[in-house]
Amino acid sequence: MKKRFISILSIALLLGGMAGCQSPEDLIPSISRSGVNSFTASFPDDDRDENLFTSEIDYTNHIITVVMPYNYPRISDNVVTMDKLVRMRVKATLDDNVYITPSLLYMDLTKENHFTLIDQTKAKIDYKVVAEIRKSAECAITSYTIPSISLSGVIDETNKTISLISIDDIGTVLASLTISHGATITPDPSQVATNHDEEFQLTVTAQNGTSKATYTVKKAIPQKVELGLRAGSHKLLFARKLTDLGITSLNMTTGLSATYDHLVINTRGQNSVYLNARTGEIAGTMDISSIMGSLTNFYGTADSGNNILISNLTPNAGPNFKVWKKAGVTGALEPFIDFTTTLALGRKVSVIGSIDGDAIITSPINGASTQFARWQVVGGALVSQTPDILTATGVGNFGNNADVVYSDPTNPNSDYFLSSYGTPYMFAWYNGTTHTVKAYSDAVSSNWIMNAVDYAVFNKSPYALHNSVNSFTWGSDDSIYMYDLNAGSLTSKIHVADTGIYGAKALGGQNANGTGDVAFKVSDDGYYLYVYFMFTNGYVVGVQFDCIDM
């Protein structure tokens, strides 16, 4: 019986093995769509974000036209000529089971190039690739101001209107404006003084000489949406690599200061670079040489009144925690806070309000702590150089990563917000009287680091903002979170930026200290909310929202 059982088992295994070795049935190929879905070209050995040029694909005549800009970099006077296209890196995205021969890598776009596309049915299609240098068709006015009275126009791009919000007479004055690169404007109000109390029109002609747009400039007060942001108003203003701004010291860039017109980037041991807050272009370098050092200009932030605050790091820089103040990027550097302490302070400093009036300044106590220091400013004067020391409950120790901001510059018992790398790894909204948590956000992975926060009221609506940082060479984070607080919770999230594209990892590097910063800025006229953020060794980014009813 035993031998018989073994024989039957052997036969079964043999039959099973034969079945397992059968040739698989041919898969029915998916339906071919376009075959080649996109085709891009780029200059080799150039890591600029804008070094990617798309194409127009003529599927009827099988011609791919790579469209090259007239200027490269696009915002420059460097003219692209055909002789610069001799060796271009090319890439195509294809449908499933479609391939190209010969394989793509480089092409000489000064002449015609050819390849054969073989689709899922093995049919062959010959494509021709050519390049065309085109002048820009962009014809927009992107900013409009009256420098003599510091008045910014509200641009409604949909209706092509520029509204100057003013009850008083503006007069016949020069304007300052920016238009699309390579475009021209007629008449030019930056060259000829124009009566801005009367409605007039401006025509912008694109670099290509044919595309045009006409804007109407008028004194007006645009209507606002009832509350908060206008849906769909999100606009990316700029995204600049820190290295493109001349900031090359790794792991040393810590803070952002958002003033009326500028965005100041604090890098330890260096004079601070500042940008045009609307375009991201370098506007200058702020001289802080008298306090410059890796531990002395450790962090920088700004209040709502155009004042910049710069802190040192204790106890590393000595026993005195110091904060200097500076009225805008050109003001004199003055001592502001000088507090003798053994506490670990200065990795983050936040301020709500203006130190010229009423404000609350906070700095977390780093290490095995859930405490923070709080100074109050009343009527433009510090109440005391010695801060109140307060304890936030419901979270684990901060370590070196925390930031606290209050919601009311006149009330030290107002609610506040905490972004920290402490359990339960949630952004927290606190009752400022009891120092207990009113609301938590969704949890963030313990792999990522929260350490920056800001708060603003815009068009009668409160908003909170914080970051989450990837300090590794793996994984995907580097996120920005923004919340509408009207519901009394941290569940209403607002999209600011996609995850993982602005951090150091996105540039092939590492943010070893896990640092970064965020900042709100409400425009003087109350029509725009600007959101700024920075990831150390990565990018600095500006985003605009508005409340214009359009």
Side-chain angles (χ1 to χ4, degrees), residues 141 144 159-162 164 177 184-190 192 194-205 213-219:
I141 297 176
Y144 195 98
N159 296 305
K160 296 292 188 291
T161 60
I162 301 173
L164 300 170
L177 69 160
T184 58
I185 188 166
T186 306
D188 187 347
S190 68
V192 179
T194 305
N195 184 357
H196 284 78
D197 293 314
E198 296 182 359
E199 183 176 305
F200 62 94
Q201 292 186 323
L202 302 171
T203 299
V204 182
T205 303
T214 298
Y215 290 79
T216 299
V217 182
K218 59 184 179 179
K219 283 180 65 174

Side-chain angles (χ1 to χ4, degrees), residues 298-538:
F298 195 90
Y299 180 76
T301 189
D303 69 1
S304 62
N306 210 46
N307 297 294
I308 298 165
L309 303 181
I310 303 170
S311 68
N312 71 350
L313 182 71
T314 60
N316 308 59
N320 284 47
F321 176 64
K322 296 183 179 182
V323 176
W324 293 267
K325 65 178 182 178
K326 190 174 173 65
V329 295
T330 60
L333 198 62
E334 302 176 48
F336 184 54
I337 294 175
D338 193 340
F339 168 54
T340 302
T341 182
T342 58
L343 299 174
L345 296 168
R347 290 188 183 275
K348 282 288 192 293
V349 175
S350 283
V351 56
I352 188 77
S354 170
I355 63 172
D356 295 327
D358 297 328
I360 295 176
I361 301 167
T362 49
S363 185
I365 299 172
N366 299 119
S369 167
T370 64
Q371 294 183 310
F372 62 93
R374 181 187 69 195
W375 291 263
Q376 188 175 8
V377 179
V378 177
L382 272 173
V383 172
S384 174
Q385 289 284 344
T386 302
D388 298 317
I389 304 299
L390 305 164
T391 301
T393 61
V395 292
N397 291 339
F398 298 154
N400 287 333
N401 295 285
D403 196 9
V404 177
V405 68
Y406 271 78
S407 59
D408 185 344
T410 67
N411 182 7
N413 293 319
S414 63
D415 289 356
Y416 60 87
F417 299 85
L418 170 67
S419 174
S420 74
Y421 184 61
T423 54
Y425 306 110
M426 297 175 177
F427 182 62
W429 180 352
Y430 275 83
N431 180 306
T433 301
T434 64
H435 301 285
T436 56
V437 177
K438 290 178 61 173
Y440 285 116
S441 71
D442 294 335
V444 172
S445 168
S446 60
N447 289 321
W448 319 132
I449 300 170
M450 293 186 290
N451 59 16
V453 64
D454 206 359
Y455 171 89
V457 176
F458 176 67
N459 191 27
K460 302 174 289 185
S461 181
Y463 297 95
L465 179 71
H466 75 91
N467 67 352
S468 178
V469 183
N470 181 3
S471 64
F472 301 109
T473 57
W474 50 266
S476 179
D477 191 45
D478 293 321
S479 304
I480 300 297
Y481 296 93
M482 181 175 166
Y483 306 89
D484 182 327
L485 305 177
N486 282 293
S489 68
L490 292 169
T491 57
S492 181
K493 296 179 181 178
I494 299 167
H495 176 263
V496 177
D498 292 336
T499 293
I501 62 175
Y502 294 118
K505 180 179 176 291
L507 299 179
Q510 181 180 9
N511 183 351
N513 292 335
T515 49
D517 206 7
V518 298
F520 276 130
K521 188 64 179 177
V522 178
S523 65
D524 296 342
D525 55 33
Y527 283 88
Y528 295 102
L529 176 64
Y530 298 101
V531 178
Y532 301 106
F533 62 91
M534 177 274 298
F535 293 108
T536 305
N537 305 338

Side-chain angles (χ1 to χ4, degrees), residues 48-61:
R48 292 183 180 90
D49 289 342
E50 61 180 302
N51 181 29
L52 188 67
F53 311 105
T54 58
S55 302
E56 296 173 351
I57 303 177
D58 180 344
Y59 293 106
T60 301
N61 298 305

